[in-house]
């Protein structure tokens, strides 16, 4: 299996699905939370890696068949992943913390409130994993709703940490509020600029329309 070549360090709702689509257009097979919802993942292994950071994790197994990875669960493991894949390039997309929080609250937060009994065994495992690891459990412990300012501070601290910790020659930082296009990404990855426009998908409205379908994928068939 080829190791990860591109690692997304940005939290969900910062254009990660558009980035996934863009990387696929550039020839990468890109892991994203959507793959997990489609049953293509190992939520139990990611949970174990989170619970036991001192133990070696089998990242090659968790990312088997993928060449790039963005969004959750990847964003929760940036430190070990850039160590495991030292040649991988890292892309961080920033966004204004207030608009980011509102986007999460009005979309993916709703998934965390679904009664896990509605899901099959895999779905329950995936939901437990996500609530446990995403921003160190702010969905699980109620902090996301109870203390928005603390959650926004964690979000900004994560972005600051990535910019300080990841070697600059391996890091591309983009800002969603300023618009994202092909030029910087393609130059960073050494890829030609596609003839097609940079993808802009998965708005809050679009995701909310899709949520019932995503939930149904995790229910007993």
């Amino acid at each position: 299996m080829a190791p990860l070549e591109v690692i997304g360090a940005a939290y969900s709702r910062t254009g990660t699905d558009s980035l996934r689509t863009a990387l696929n257009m550039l020839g990468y097979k890109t892991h994203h939370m959507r793959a997990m919802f489609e049953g293509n993942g190992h939520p139990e292994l990611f949970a174990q890696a989170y619970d036991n950071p001192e133990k070696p994790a089998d990242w090659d197994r968790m990312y088997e068949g993928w060449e790039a990875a963005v969004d959750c669960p990847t964003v929760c493991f940036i430190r070990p992943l850039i160590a495991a894949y030292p040649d991988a390039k890292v892309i961080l997309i920033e966004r204004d913390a207030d608009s980011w929080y509102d986007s999460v609250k009005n979309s993916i937060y709703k998934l965390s409130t679904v009664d896990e009994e509605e899901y099959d065994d895999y779905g329950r495992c995936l939901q437990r994993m996500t609530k446990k690891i995403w921003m160190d459990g702010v969905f699980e412990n109620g902090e996301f709703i109870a203390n928005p300012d603390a959650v926004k501070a964690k979000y900004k601290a994560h972005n600051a940490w990535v910019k300080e910790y990841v070697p600059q020659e391996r890091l591309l930082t983009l800002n969603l509020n300023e618009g994202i296009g092909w030029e910087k990404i393609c130059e960073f990855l050494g890829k030609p600029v596609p003839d097609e426009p940079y993808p802009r998908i998965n708005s809050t409205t679009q995701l909310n329309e899709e949520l019932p379908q995503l939930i149904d994928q995790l229910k007993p068939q």
Side-chain angles (χ1 to χ4, degrees), residues 68-89:
V70 302
D71 200 74
C72 184
T74 299
V75 66
C76 305
F77 298 99
I78 300 304
R79 186 190 296 268
L81 285 175
I82 66 171
Y85 302 111
D87 294 326
K89 299 290 186 70

Side-chain angles (χ1 to χ4, degrees), residues 44-117:
E44 75 288 353
L45 296 183
F46 283 105
Q48 290 171 16
Y50 180 84
D51 286 335
N52 303 281
E54 75 287 352
K55 296 181 180 179
D58 192 351
W59 300 114
D60 283 356
R61 180 182 175 193
M62 285 184 259
Y63 289 103
E64 185 176 3
W66 304 97
E67 298 158 323
V70 302
D71 200 74
C72 184
T74 299
V75 66
C76 305
F77 298 99
I78 300 304
R79 186 190 296 268
L81 285 175
I82 66 171
Y85 302 111
D87 294 326
K89 299 290 186 70
V90 180
I91 298 178
L92 172 68
I93 303 176
E94 297 183 280
R95 179 180 185 177
D96 169 77
D98 290 329
S99 65
W100 167 81
Y101 179 88
D102 289 342
S103 181
V104 173
K105 182 179 179 181
N106 293 323
S107 58
I108 62 173
Y109 169 71
K110 297 176 183 179
L111 289 170
S112 73
T113 66
V114 176
D115 186 343
E116 69 176 39
E117 294 306 316

Side-chain angles (χ1 to χ4, degrees), residues 75-193:
V75 66
C76 305
F77 298 99
I78 300 304
R79 186 190 296 268
L81 285 175
I82 66 171
Y85 302 111
D87 294 326
K89 299 290 186 70
V90 180
I91 298 178
L92 172 68
I93 303 176
E94 297 183 280
R95 179 180 185 177
D96 169 77
D98 290 329
S99 65
W100 167 81
Y101 179 88
D102 289 342
S103 181
V104 173
K105 182 179 179 181
N106 293 323
S107 58
I108 62 173
Y109 169 71
K110 297 176 183 179
L111 289 170
S112 73
T113 66
V114 176
D115 186 343
E116 69 176 39
E117 294 306 316
E118 293 188 29
Y119 292 143
D120 59 18
D121 290 342
Y122 174 84
R124 285 192 288 271
C125 185
L126 179 60
Q127 187 187 49
R128 291 169 186 169
M129 179 274 290
T130 306
K131 290 172 70 173
K132 174 196 291 282
I133 74 172
W134 200 86
M135 201 166 279
D136 294 322
V138 297
F139 289 160
E140 185 174 50
N141 63 25
E143 185 179 20
F144 183 80
I145 294 299
N147 198 343
D149 288 341
V151 174
K152 294 173 191 177
K154 285 185 178 182
Y155 168 73
K156 290 187 283 189
H158 167 81
N159 291 343
W161 173 83
V162 170
K163 289 187 285 187
E164 180 177 353
Y165 183 78
V166 178
Q168 290 304 299
E169 65 273 14
R170 296 180 61 183
L171 178 66
L172 173 65
T173 301
L174 303 169
N175 192 307
L176 191 67
N177 298 101
E178 297 173 359
I180 297 176
W182 285 118
E183 286 72 18
K184 290 182 179 179
I185 293 174
C186 290
E187 180 181 4
F188 180 63
L189 298 177
K191 298 286 188 178
V193 175

